[in-house]
Amino acid sequence: MDTSIIADVLEILVFAVMALLSISFAVFVVTAKDIVRSALALIVVMFVVAGMYIMLNAQFLGVIQILVYVGAIGVLILFAVMLTKKEFGSDKDAE
């Protein structure tokens, strides 16, 4: 068997795994009840998309995806969620 055929099959297999991983985590982003888990799943999706860019020989877009979206936007979302005041009880409980 030719090594280029094996490399092509392996590349398609890795791309398929990354695509399924991306789709499953994207569905989890939409359906998650907890916002922190949803934000972490969104960061995973952005990492997988960066990996797909790198596989498509667009290394610059992959690095920018990691720096801008995962690094800046993902951390911003997590900080906004963590710093938001959460009420643990209502005023009716005090009465």
Side-chain angles (χ1 to χ4, degrees), residues 5-77:
I5 296 173
I6 295 173
D8 290 341
V9 169
L10 184 63
E11 184 178 356
I12 291 171
L13 183 66
V14 169
F15 187 82
V17 168
M18 290 176 75
L20 289 174
L21 191 68
S22 175
I23 291 170
S24 63
F25 273 97
V27 168
F28 184 72
V29 167
V30 176
T31 60
K33 301 280 186 203
D34 188 20
I35 188 124
V36 176
R37 290 184 185 184
S38 178
L40 290 175
L42 182 65
I43 290 173
V44 171
V45 170
M46 289 188 234
F47 265 120
V48 173
V49 169
M52 287 182 181
Y53 280 142
I54 291 171
M55 282 187 61
L56 292 170
N57 206 16
Q59 289 86 6
F60 179 74
L61 286 177
V63 170
I64 294 300
Q65 176 82 17
I66 291 173
L67 288 177
V68 172
Y69 286 103
V70 176
I73 304 298
V75 171
L76 180 70
I77 290 171

